Amino acid sequence: MEQIISGASGLADSYMLEWLAAVALILVAVAMSLFDLPGNTLMVGSSLGFAFYDPSKYFDIRIISAVILIYALGEIWEFVLSFFGIKRQARDISWWGVLFIGCGTFVGTVMGTTAFPVAGSVFGGAIGAFVMAYLYEYLRSHNMQHAGMLAWQAAKMQFVAMLGKLVATFVLAILLAKQIFFYA
């Protein structure tokens, strides 16, 4: 009888450790995404890791497929809007200009996150894109009006790109929680 109770206790401890690991992974991944780090990648890896760790509990092909699809859509959304969006808006901008604006976006994201941890990455990235696009266009054309228009377009594109990726982050967190805590 004592062995049965000991076995049941060990099983409960195992479930508790799995749940604690899942909670920690979800929180870390969401925080990473808010800081514009690869948190979404961590969530996909966690989803697959749990699925292959214990397929009888955590392998749900519908959830795993949804996780991979949402991840891909979030990454594609951010990449396309961040880089190709500004190129489409300003047809005369070079790819070096797009790269320059992308670097400004990254620096703005890091600085924004440092100053205001949650929304700072979204606003900082948009401000960084704005500043670098303005500098690029002004130094190229010496036209403040064109520089302002390009800067505004770059900021809007980056803001929408980051918001889309953050939406994907929260959907991934919900799917991972569903996979781990509400398995069938």
Side-chain angles (χ1 to χ4, degrees):
M1 182 69 155
E2 188 175 306
Q3 288 178 330
I4 294 173
I5 293 173
S6 172
S9 174
L11 189 59
D13 289 344
S14 173
Y15 289 148
M16 184 60 72
L17 287 176
E18 291 170 12
W19 282 29
L20 288 174
V23 168
L25 284 168
I26 290 170
L27 291 175
V28 166
V30 168
M32 287 174 66
S33 291
L34 291 173
F35 290 103
D36 203 25
L37 295 170
N40 291 356
T41 304
L42 178 61
M43 279 194 268
V44 170
S46 298
S47 178
L48 293 172
F50 273 99
F52 289 108
Y53 168 72
D54 192 347
S56 64
K57 284 195 308 192
Y58 303 124
F59 192 90
D60 183 343
I61 194 66
R62 295 170 303 168
I63 290 177
I64 293 170
S65 298
V67 163
I68 292 170
L69 178 66
I70 297 298
Y71 172 75
L73 289 175
E75 295 300 316
I76 290 167
W77 173 268
E78 183 188 29
F79 180 76
V80 167
L81 278 182
S82 292
F83 290 102
F84 296 117
I86 193 63
K87 182 72 172 157
R88 187 174 152 250
Q89 292 293 324
R91 297 189 193 279
D92 61 337
I93 191 171
S94 70
W95 285 108
W96 286 109
V98 172
L99 181 63
F100 187 67
I101 294 168
C103 291
T105 301
F106 177 74
V107 169
T109 300
V110 170
M111 291 175 65
T113 300
T114 304
F116 189 53
V118 177
S121 62
V122 175
F123 293 114
I127 291 168
F130 181 92
V131 169
M132 293 309 248
Y134 187 90
L135 283 173
Y136 170 81
E137 184 61 25
Y138 185 75
L139 291 174
R140 192 177 71 80
S141 69
H142 298 292
N143 185 330
M144 290 174 58
Q145 184 178 4
H146 286 149
M149 288 180 358
L150 178 66
W152 181 243
Q153 288 298 325
K156 287 192 302 187
M157 288 290 168
Q158 183 57 34
F159 184 77
V160 172
M162 277 299 294
L163 281 180
K165 188 170 181 180
L166 289 177
V167 167
T169 296
F170 289 110
V171 171
L172 286 172
I174 290 167
L175 287 171
L176 183 57
K178 183 177 182 341
Q179 177 187 5
I180 304 305
F181 303 118
F182 303 105
Y183 56 89

